[in-house]
Amino acid sequence: MGLLDNLEQRLDRIVNGSFSKAFKSEVAPVEIGAALQQEIDNRAQVQNGQSVAPNIFVIELSPADHQRLSPYFDTLEAELGLLANSYVSEQRYRVSHRVDISFGLDSAFETGVFRIKSASAEPAPAVNRLLTQPADSSAQIPVAAMTATVTPMLTDISGKEFKLTKSVTNIGRGSDADLQIPDAGASRLHCAVVLGSQVIVRDLGSTNGTTVDGQRITEAVLRDGSIIKIGNTTLTYKSR
């Protein structure tokens, strides 16, 4: 039995059959799994005689799919991570660190459409967490976005700092956001900061929108000192 068959059976068993009802005729787990394997193959690069595969994957969904599937994200992330690790081993690829799967949102997508973005990342250094955020400290930061002594961060108007140590940091009012802001003008998941060769902020289909340096954006590159406005909350990006 193939990796995708095993994935589909495990997901169905974990959620007692409700998983297939959630997906209906739109996005199916086996489709995401197949696309994940293809992304690994497409992005693998030869380095020092070895094929190195990406280990950070962001699966972007349409607003309808994102809302409907959010109760399954933990299960999906774990199972797709197992699939990716198994596929990497089967194909004899090497990865720089453990595989990390997360979900994002693209407000331009129609229901049933999704996209996978990938990158390679090394382990992140330990940091102090000063703003309200979940206790999980296992996330990674891409090499291109870090130095030996500096970690990019966001600061609020009081000077409190939030270190950007995840490949994708979700910001919003909800408890499932990585950076929670107590602002009625913010959506539950309002926007995300994505670390890579460039650092970008991406609006997640928020109700009131996201602005960077006074301009309303769907996606924008952040520079040192860029000002992000979310509802009535102002955050400043610092790269050093």
Coordinates of all heavy atoms in Angstrom, one line a residue, residues 15-102:
V15 N -10.5 11.0 12.6 CA -11.6 11.9 12.8 C -12.9 11.1 12.6 O -14.0 11.7 12.4 CB -11.6 13.1 11.8 CG1 -10.4 13.9 12.0 CG2 -11.6 12.6 10.3
N16 N -12.9 9.8 12.7 CA -14.1 9.0 12.7 C -15.0 9.2 11.5 O -16.2 9.3 11.7 CB -14.9 9.2 14.0 CG -14.1 8.8 15.3 OD1 -13.4 7.8 15.3 ND2 -14.2 9.6 16.3
G17 N -14.4 9.4 10.4 CA -15.2 9.5 9.2 C -15.7 10.9 8.8 O -16.1 11.1 7.7
S18 N -15.5 11.9 9.7 CA -16.0 13.2 9.4 C -15.1 13.9 8.5 O -15.5 14.9 7.9 CB -16.1 14.0 10.7 OG -14.9 14.1 11.4
F19 N -13.9 13.5 8.4 CA -12.9 14.1 7.5 C -13.4 14.2 6.0 O -13.4 15.2 5.4 CB -11.5 13.4 7.6 CG -10.4 14.2 7.0 CD1 -9.8 15.2 7.8 CD2 -9.9 14.0 5.7 CE1 -8.8 15.9 7.3 CE2 -8.9 14.8 5.3 CZ -8.3 15.7 6.1
S20 N -13.9 13.1 5.5 CA -14.3 13.0 4.2 C -15.6 13.9 4.0 O -15.7 14.5 2.9 CB -14.7 11.6 3.8 OG -15.7 11.1 4.6
K21 N -16.4 14.1 5.0 CA -17.5 14.9 4.9 C -17.1 16.4 4.8 O -17.7 17.2 4.1 CB -18.5 14.7 6.1 CG -19.1 13.4 6.2 CD -20.0 13.2 7.4 CE -20.5 11.8 7.5 NZ -21.3 11.6 8.8
A22 N -16.0 16.7 5.5 CA -15.5 18.1 5.5 C -15.0 18.5 4.2 O -15.2 19.6 3.7 CB -14.4 18.3 6.6
F23 N -14.4 17.6 3.5 CA -13.8 17.9 2.2 C -14.8 17.8 1.1 O -14.6 18.5 0.1 CB -12.6 16.9 1.9 CG -11.3 17.3 2.6 CD1 -10.9 16.6 3.8 CD2 -10.6 18.4 2.2 CE1 -9.8 17.0 4.4 CE2 -9.4 18.7 2.8 CZ -9.0 18.0 4.0
K24 N -15.8 17.0 1.2 CA -16.8 16.8 0.1 C -16.1 16.7 -1.2 O -15.3 15.8 -1.4 CB -17.7 18.0 0.1 CG -18.5 18.2 1.4 CD -19.4 19.4 1.4 CE -20.2 19.5 2.7 NZ -21.1 20.7 2.7
S25 N -16.5 17.5 -2.2 CA -15.8 17.3 -3.5 C -14.8 18.4 -3.8 O -14.3 18.5 -4.9 CB -16.9 17.4 -4.6 OG -17.6 18.7 -4.5
E26 N -14.4 19.1 -2.8 CA -13.4 20.1 -2.9 C -12.0 19.5 -2.7 O -11.6 18.5 -3.2 CB -13.6 21.3 -2.0 CG -14.9 22.1 -2.4 CD -16.1 21.6 -1.8 OE1 -16.1 20.7 -1.0 OE2 -17.2 22.1 -2.1
V27 N -11.2 20.2 -1.8 CA -9.8 19.7 -1.6 C -9.9 18.4 -0.8 O -10.6 18.3 0.2 CB -9.1 20.8 -0.7 CG1 -7.7 20.3 -0.4 CG2 -8.9 22.1 -1.5
A28 N -9.1 17.4 -1.2 CA -9.1 16.1 -0.6 C -7.7 15.9 0.0 O -6.7 16.4 -0.6 CB -9.4 15.0 -1.5
P29 N -7.5 15.2 1.1 CA -6.2 15.0 1.7 C -5.2 14.3 0.8 O -4.0 14.7 0.8 CB -6.5 14.1 2.9 CG -7.8 13.5 2.7 CD -8.6 14.5 1.9
V30 N -5.7 13.4 0.0 CA -4.8 12.7 -0.9 C -4.2 13.7 -2.0 O -3.1 13.5 -2.5 CB -5.5 11.5 -1.6 CG1 -6.6 11.9 -2.6 CG2 -4.5 10.6 -2.3
E31 N -5.0 14.7 -2.4 CA -4.6 15.7 -3.3 C -3.5 16.6 -2.7 O -2.5 16.9 -3.4 CB -5.7 16.6 -3.8 CG -6.8 15.9 -4.6 CD -8.0 16.8 -4.9 OE1 -8.3 17.7 -4.1 OE2 -8.7 16.5 -5.9
I32 N -3.6 17.0 -1.5 CA -2.6 17.7 -0.8 C -1.3 16.9 -0.6 O -0.2 17.4 -0.9 CB -3.1 18.2 0.6 CG1 -4.3 19.2 0.4 CG2 -2.0 18.9 1.3 CD1 -4.9 19.6 1.7
G33 N -1.5 15.6 -0.3 CA -0.4 14.7 -0.1 C 0.4 14.6 -1.4 O 1.6 14.6 -1.4
A34 N -0.3 14.4 -2.5 CA 0.3 14.2 -3.8 C 1.1 15.5 -4.2 O 2.2 15.4 -4.7 CB -0.7 13.8 -4.9
A35 N 0.4 16.7 -4.0 CA 1.1 17.9 -4.3 C 2.3 18.2 -3.4 O 3.3 18.7 -3.9 CB 0.1 19.1 -4.1
L36 N 2.2 17.7 -2.2 CA 3.4 17.8 -1.3 C 4.6 17.0 -1.8 O 5.7 17.5 -1.8 CB 3.0 17.4 0.1 CG 4.0 17.5 1.2 CD1 4.4 18.9 1.4 CD2 3.5 16.9 2.5
Q37 N 4.3 15.8 -2.2 CA 5.4 15.0 -2.8 C 6.0 15.6 -4.1 O 7.2 15.6 -4.3 CB 4.9 13.6 -3.1 CG 4.5 12.8 -1.9 CD 4.0 11.4 -2.3 OE1 3.6 11.1 -3.4 NE2 4.0 10.5 -1.3
Q38 N 5.1 16.2 -4.9 CA 5.6 16.8 -6.1 C 6.4 18.1 -5.8 O 7.4 18.3 -6.4 CB 4.4 17.2 -7.0 CG 4.8 17.8 -8.3 CD 3.6 18.1 -9.2 OE1 2.5 18.1 -8.8 NE2 3.9 18.4 -10.5
E39 N 6.0 18.8 -4.8 CA 6.8 20.0 -4.4 C 8.2 19.6 -3.9 O 9.1 20.3 -4.2 CB 6.0 20.8 -3.3 CG 6.7 22.0 -2.7 CD 6.7 23.2 -3.7 OE1 6.1 23.1 -4.8 OE2 7.4 24.2 -3.4
I40 N 8.2 18.5 -3.1 CA 9.5 18.0 -2.7 C 10.4 17.7 -3.8 O 11.6 18.1 -3.9 CB 9.3 16.8 -1.7 CG1 8.7 17.2 -0.4 CG2 10.7 16.1 -1.5 CD1 8.3 16.0 0.4
D41 N 9.9 17.0 -4.8 CA 10.7 16.6 -6.0 C 11.1 17.8 -6.8 O 12.2 17.9 -7.2 CB 9.8 15.7 -6.9 CG 9.7 14.3 -6.4 OD1 10.5 13.8 -5.6 OD2 8.7 13.6 -6.7
N42 N 10.2 18.8 -7.0 CA 10.5 20.0 -7.8 C 11.5 20.9 -7.2 O 12.3 21.5 -7.9 CB 9.2 20.7 -8.1 CG 8.2 20.0 -9.0 OD1 8.6 19.1 -9.7 ND2 7.0 20.4 -9.0
R43 N 11.5 20.9 -5.8 CA 12.4 21.9 -5.2 C 13.7 21.3 -4.6 O 14.5 22.0 -4.1 CB 11.6 22.5 -4.0 CG 10.5 23.4 -4.4 CD 10.9 24.6 -5.2 NE 11.9 25.4 -4.4 CZ 11.5 26.3 -3.5 NH1 10.2 26.6 -3.3 NH2 12.4 27.0 -2.8
A44 N 13.8 20.0 -4.8 CA 15.1 19.3 -4.3 C 16.3 19.8 -5.2 O 16.1 20.0 -6.4 CB 15.0 17.8 -4.4
Q45 N 17.4 20.1 -4.5 CA 18.5 20.7 -5.2 C 19.8 19.9 -4.8 O 19.9 19.4 -3.6 CB 18.8 22.1 -4.8 CG 17.6 23.0 -5.3 CD 17.9 24.5 -5.0 OE1 18.9 24.8 -4.3 NE2 17.1 25.4 -5.5
V46 N 20.7 19.7 -5.7 CA 21.9 18.9 -5.4 C 22.9 19.9 -4.8 O 23.3 20.9 -5.3 CB 22.5 18.4 -6.7 CG1 23.8 17.6 -6.4 CG2 21.5 17.4 -7.4
Q47 N 23.4 19.5 -3.6 CA 24.4 20.2 -2.8 C 25.4 19.2 -2.3 O 25.1 18.3 -1.6 CB 23.7 21.0 -1.7 CG 22.7 22.0 -2.1 CD 22.1 22.7 -0.9 OE1 22.5 22.5 0.3 NE2 21.1 23.5 -1.1
N48 N 26.7 19.4 -2.7 CA 27.8 18.6 -2.3 C 27.5 17.1 -2.6 O 27.7 16.2 -1.8 CB 28.0 18.7 -0.8 CG 28.4 20.1 -0.4 OD1 29.2 20.8 -1.1 ND2 27.9 20.6 0.7
G49 N 26.9 16.9 -3.7 CA 26.7 15.5 -4.2 C 25.4 14.9 -3.6 O 25.1 13.7 -3.9
Q50 N 24.6 15.6 -2.8 CA 23.4 15.1 -2.2 C 22.2 15.9 -2.7 O 22.3 17.1 -2.9 CB 23.5 15.1 -0.7 CG 24.4 14.0 -0.1 CD 24.4 14.0 1.4 OE1 24.5 15.1 2.0 NE2 24.1 12.9 2.0
S51 N 21.1 15.2 -2.8 CA 19.8 15.9 -3.2 C 19.2 16.4 -1.9 O 18.8 15.6 -1.0 CB 18.9 15.0 -3.9 OG 19.4 14.7 -5.2
V52 N 19.1 17.7 -1.7 CA 18.6 18.4 -0.5 C 17.2 18.9 -0.8 O 16.9 19.6 -1.7 CB 19.5 19.5 0.0 CG1 18.9 20.1 1.3 CG2 20.9 19.0 0.2
A53 N 16.2 18.4 0.0 CA 14.8 18.8 -0.2 C 14.4 19.9 0.8 O 15.0 20.0 1.9 CB 13.9 17.6 0.0
P54 N 13.4 20.7 0.5 CA 12.9 21.7 1.5 C 12.3 21.0 2.7 O 11.8 19.8 2.6 CB 11.8 22.4 0.7 CG 11.4 21.5 -0.4 CD 12.6 20.7 -0.8
N55 N 12.2 21.7 3.8 CA 11.6 21.1 5.0 C 10.5 22.0 5.6 O 9.9 21.5 6.5 CB 12.7 20.8 6.0 CG 13.3 22.1 6.5 OD1 13.8 22.9 5.8 ND2 13.4 22.2 7.9
I56 N 10.3 23.2 5.0 CA 9.2 24.0 5.5 C 8.2 24.1 4.4 O 8.5 24.5 3.3 CB 9.8 25.5 5.8 CG1 10.8 25.4 7.0 CG2 8.6 26.4 6.3 CD1 10.3 24.9 8.3
F57 N 7.0 23.8 4.7 CA 5.9 23.8 3.7 C 4.7 24.6 4.3 O 4.2 24.4 5.4 CB 5.4 22.4 3.4 CG 6.5 21.6 2.8 CD1 7.3 20.8 3.7 CD2 6.8 21.5 1.5 CE1 8.3 20.0 3.2 CE2 7.8 20.8 1.0 CZ 8.6 20.0 1.8
V58 N 4.2 25.6 3.5 CA 3.0 26.3 3.8 C 1.9 26.0 2.8 O 2.1 26.2 1.6 CB 3.2 27.8 3.8 CG1 2.0 28.6 4.2 CG2 4.4 28.1 4.8
I59 N 0.8 25.4 3.2 CA -0.3 25.0 2.3 C -1.3 26.1 2.3 O -2.0 26.3 3.4 CB -0.9 23.7 2.7 CG1 0.2 22.6 2.7 CG2 -2.0 23.3 1.8 CD1 -0.2 21.3 3.4
E60 N -1.5 26.9 1.3 CA -2.4 28.0 1.2 C -3.7 27.6 0.6 O -3.8 26.9 -0.4 CB -1.8 29.1 0.4 CG -0.5 29.7 1.0 CD 0.0 30.9 0.2 OE1 -0.3 30.9 -1.0 OE2 0.8 31.7 0.8
L61 N -4.8 27.9 1.4 CA -6.1 27.4 1.0 C -7.0 28.7 0.7 O -6.7 29.8 1.1 CB -6.8 26.7 2.1 CG -6.1 25.4 2.6 CD1 -6.7 24.9 3.9 CD2 -6.1 24.3 1.5
S62 N -8.1 28.4 0.0 CA -9.1 29.4 -0.2 C -9.8 29.8 1.1 O -9.7 29.0 2.1 CB -10.2 28.9 -1.2 OG -11.0 27.9 -0.6
P63 N -10.5 30.9 1.2 CA -11.1 31.3 2.4 C -12.2 30.3 2.9 O -12.2 29.9 4.1 CB -11.8 32.6 2.1 CG -11.0 33.2 1.0 CD -10.5 32.0 0.2
A64 N -12.9 29.7 2.0 CA -13.9 28.7 2.3 C -13.3 27.4 2.9 O -13.7 26.9 3.9 CB -14.8 28.4 1.1
D65 N -12.3 27.0 2.2 CA -11.6 25.7 2.6 C -10.8 26.0 3.9 O -10.8 25.1 4.8 CB -10.6 25.3 1.5 CG -11.2 24.6 0.3 OD1 -12.3 24.0 0.5 OD2 -10.8 24.8 -0.8
H66 N -10.2 27.1 4.1 CA -9.5 27.4 5.3 C -10.4 27.4 6.5 O -10.1 26.8 7.6 CB -8.8 28.8 5.2 CG -7.8 29.1 6.3 ND1 -8.2 29.6 7.5 CD2 -6.5 29.0 6.3 CE1 -7.1 29.8 8.2 NE2 -6.1 29.4 7.5
Q67 N -11.6 28.1 6.4 CA -12.5 28.1 7.5 C -13.1 26.7 7.8 O -13.2 26.3 9.0 CB -13.7 29.1 7.1 CG -14.7 29.2 8.3 CD -15.8 30.2 7.9 OE1 -15.9 30.7 6.8 NE2 -16.7 30.5 8.9
R68 N -13.4 26.0 6.7 CA -14.0 24.7 7.0 C -13.1 23.6 7.5 O -13.4 22.8 8.3 CB -14.6 24.1 5.6 CG -15.3 22.8 5.8 CD -16.0 22.4 4.4 NE -14.9 22.0 3.5 CZ -14.6 22.7 2.4 NH1 -15.2 23.9 2.2 NH2 -13.7 22.3 1.6
L69 N -11.8 23.7 7.1 CA -10.8 22.7 7.5 C -10.0 23.1 8.8 O -9.2 22.3 9.2 CB -9.9 22.5 6.3 CG -10.5 22.0 5.1 CD1 -9.5 21.8 4.0 CD2 -11.3 20.7 5.3
S70 N -10.2 24.3 9.3 CA -9.4 24.7 10.4 C -9.4 23.8 11.6 O -8.4 23.6 12.3 CB -9.7 26.1 10.8 OG -11.1 26.3 11.2
P71 N -10.6 23.1 11.9 CA -10.6 22.1 13.0 C -9.7 20.9 12.8 O -9.3 20.2 13.7 CB -12.1 21.7 13.1 CG -12.8 22.8 12.4 CD -11.9 23.3 11.3
Y72 N -9.3 20.7 11.6 CA -8.4 19.5 11.2 C -7.0 19.9 11.0 O -6.1 19.0 10.7 CB -8.9 18.9 10.0 CG -10.4 18.4 10.0 CD1 -11.4 19.2 9.4 CD2 -10.8 17.3 10.7 CE1 -12.7 18.8 9.5 CE2 -12.1 16.9 10.8 CZ -13.0 17.7 10.2 OH -14.4 17.3 10.2
F73 N -6.6 21.2 11.2 CA -5.2 21.6 10.9 C -4.2 20.8 11.7 O -3.2 20.4 11.1 CB -5.1 23.1 11.1 CG -5.6 23.9 10.0 CD1 -5.8 25.3 10.2 CD2 -6.0 23.4 8.8 CE1 -6.3 26.1 9.2 CE2 -6.5 24.2 7.8 CZ -6.7 25.5 8.0
D74 N -4.4 20.6 13.0 CA -3.4 19.9 13.8 C -3.2 18.5 13.3 O -2.1 18.0 13.1 CB -3.8 19.8 15.3 CG -3.7 21.2 15.9 OD1 -3.0 22.1 15.4 OD2 -4.3 21.4 17.0
T75 N -4.3 17.8 13.0 CA -4.2 16.4 12.4 C -3.5 16.4 11.1 O -2.7 15.6 10.8 CB -5.6 15.8 12.3 OG1 -6.2 15.8 13.6 CG2 -5.6 14.4 11.7
L76 N -4.0 17.4 10.2 CA -3.4 17.4 8.9 C -1.9 17.7 8.9 O -1.1 17.1 8.2 CB -4.1 18.5 8.0 CG -5.3 18.1 7.3 CD1 -6.0 19.3 6.8 CD2 -5.0 17.1 6.2
E77 N -1.5 18.7 9.7 CA -0.1 19.0 9.8 C 0.8 17.8 10.3 O 1.9 17.6 9.8 CB 0.1 20.2 10.8 CG -0.4 21.5 10.2 CD -0.5 22.6 11.2 OE1 -0.1 22.4 12.4 OE2 -1.0 23.7 10.9
A78 N 0.3 17.1 11.3 CA 1.0 15.9 11.8 C 1.1 14.8 10.8 O 2.2 14.3 10.5 CB 0.3 15.4 13.1
E79 N 0.0 14.5 10.1 CA 0.0 13.4 9.2 C 0.7 13.7 7.9 O 1.4 12.9 7.3 CB -1.5 13.0 8.9 CG -2.2 12.4 10.0 CD -1.6 11.1 10.5 OE1 -1.0 10.4 9.7 OE2 -1.7 10.8 11.7
L80 N 0.6 15.0 7.4 CA 1.3 15.4 6.2 C 2.8 15.4 6.5 O 3.6 15.2 5.6 CB 0.8 16.7 5.7 CG -0.6 16.6 5.0 CD1 -1.1 18.1 4.8 CD2 -0.6 15.8 3.7
G81 N 3.1 15.8 7.7 CA 4.5 15.8 8.1 C 5.1 14.4 8.1 O 6.2 14.2 7.6
L82 N 4.3 13.4 8.6 CA 4.8 12.0 8.5 C 4.9 11.6 7.0 O 5.9 10.9 6.7 CB 3.8 11.1 9.2 CG 3.7 11.2 10.7 CD1 2.6 10.4 11.3 CD2 5.0 10.7 11.3
L83 N 4.0 12.0 6.2 CA 4.1 11.6 4.8 C 5.3 12.2 4.2 O 6.0 11.5 3.4 CB 2.8 12.2 4.1 CG 2.8 12.0 2.5 CD1 2.7 10.6 2.1 CD2 1.8 12.9 1.9
A84 N 5.6 13.5 4.4 CA 6.8 14.2 3.9 C 8.0 13.5 4.3 O 9.0 13.2 3.5 CB 6.8 15.6 4.2
N85 N 8.1 13.2 5.6 CA 9.3 12.5 6.1 C 9.5 11.2 5.5 O 10.7 10.8 5.2 CB 9.2 12.4 7.7 CG 9.6 13.7 8.4 OD1 10.6 14.3 8.0 ND2 8.9 14.0 9.4
S86 N 8.5 10.4 5.3 CA 8.5 9.1 4.7 C 9.0 9.2 3.3 O 9.8 8.4 2.8 CB 7.2 8.4 4.8 OG 6.8 8.1 6.2
Y87 N 8.4 10.2 2.6 CA 8.8 10.3 1.2 C 10.2 10.8 1.0 O 10.9 10.3 0.1 CB 7.8 11.4 0.5 CG 8.0 11.4 -1.0 CD1 7.5 10.4 -1.8 CD2 8.6 12.5 -1.6 CE1 7.7 10.5 -3.2 CE2 8.7 12.6 -3.0 CZ 8.2 11.6 -3.8 OH 8.4 11.6 -5.1
V88 N 10.7 11.7 1.8 CA 12.1 12.1 1.8 C 13.0 10.9 2.0 O 14.0 10.8 1.3 CB 12.3 13.2 2.9 CG1 13.8 13.4 3.1 CG2 11.7 14.5 2.4
S89 N 12.7 10.1 3.0 CA 13.5 8.9 3.2 C 13.4 7.9 2.1 O 14.5 7.4 1.7 CB 13.0 8.2 4.5 OG 13.7 7.0 4.8
E90 N 12.2 7.7 1.5 CA 12.1 6.8 0.4 C 12.8 7.2 -0.8 O 13.4 6.4 -1.5 CB 10.6 6.7 0.1 CG 10.2 5.7 -1.0 CD 8.7 5.7 -1.3 OE1 8.3 6.5 -2.1 OE2 8.0 4.9 -0.7
Q91 N 12.9 8.5 -1.1 CA 13.6 9.0 -2.2 C 15.1 9.3 -2.0 O 15.8 9.8 -2.9 CB 12.9 10.3 -2.7 CG 11.4 10.1 -3.1 CD 11.3 9.1 -4.3 OE1 12.0 9.2 -5.3 NE2 10.4 8.2 -4.1
R92 N 15.5 9.1 -0.7 CA 16.9 9.3 -0.3 C 17.3 10.8 -0.4 O 18.4 11.1 -0.8 CB 17.8 8.4 -1.1 CG 17.6 6.9 -0.8 CD 18.6 6.0 -1.4 NE 18.3 4.6 -1.1 CZ 19.0 3.6 -1.5 NH1 20.1 3.8 -2.3 NH2 18.8 2.4 -1.2
Y93 N 16.4 11.7 -0.1 CA 16.7 13.1 -0.1 C 17.3 13.4 1.3 O 17.1 12.6 2.3 CB 15.4 14.0 -0.3 CG 14.9 13.9 -1.7 CD1 13.5 13.8 -1.9 CD2 15.7 14.1 -2.8 CE1 12.9 13.8 -3.1 CE2 15.1 14.0 -4.1 CZ 13.8 13.9 -4.2 OH 13.2 13.9 -5.5
R94 N 17.9 14.5 1.4 CA 18.4 15.0 2.7 C 17.7 16.3 3.0 O 17.4 17.1 2.1 CB 19.9 15.3 2.7 CG 20.5 15.7 4.1 CD 22.0 15.8 4.0 NE 22.4 16.8 3.1 CZ 22.6 18.1 3.5 NH1 22.2 18.5 4.7 NH2 23.0 19.0 2.6
V95 N 17.3 16.6 4.3 CA 16.7 17.9 4.7 C 17.6 18.5 5.8 O 18.3 17.8 6.5 CB 15.3 17.7 5.2 CG1 14.3 17.3 4.1 CG2 15.2 16.7 6.3
S96 N 17.6 19.8 5.9 CA 18.4 20.5 6.8 C 17.9 20.4 8.2 O 18.7 20.5 9.2 CB 18.5 22.0 6.4 OG 17.2 22.6 6.4
H97 N 16.7 20.2 8.4 CA 16.1 20.0 9.8 C 14.7 19.3 9.6 O 14.3 19.0 8.5 CB 16.0 21.3 10.5 CG 15.7 21.3 11.9 ND1 16.6 20.5 12.8 CD2 14.8 21.8 12.7 CE1 16.1 20.6 14.0 NE2 15.1 21.4 14.0
R98 N 14.0 19.1 10.7 CA 12.8 18.4 10.7 C 11.8 19.1 9.8 O 11.8 20.3 9.6 CB 12.2 18.2 12.1 CG 11.7 19.5 12.7 CD 10.9 19.2 14.0 NE 10.4 20.4 14.6 CZ 9.3 21.0 14.3 NH1 8.6 20.5 13.3 NH2 8.9 22.1 14.9
V99 N 10.8 18.3 9.2 CA 9.8 18.9 8.3 C 8.8 19.6 9.1 O 8.3 19.2 10.2 CB 9.1 17.7 7.5 CG1 7.9 18.3 6.8 CG2 10.1 17.2 6.5
D100 N 8.4 20.8 8.7 CA 7.4 21.6 9.3 C 6.3 21.9 8.3 O 6.5 22.5 7.3 CB 8.0 22.9 9.9 CG 7.0 23.7 10.6 OD1 6.8 23.5 11.8 OD2 6.4 24.7 10.0
I101 N 5.0 21.6 8.7 CA 3.9 21.8 7.8 C 3.0 22.8 8.5 O 2.7 22.7 9.7 CB 3.1 20.5 7.6 CG1 3.9 19.4 7.0 CG2 1.9 20.8 6.6 CD1 4.4 19.5 5.6
S102 N 2.5 23.8 7.8 CA 1.5 24.8 8.3 C 0.5 25.2 7.2 O 0.8 24.9 6.0 CB 2.2 26.0 8.9 OG 2.9 26.7 7.9

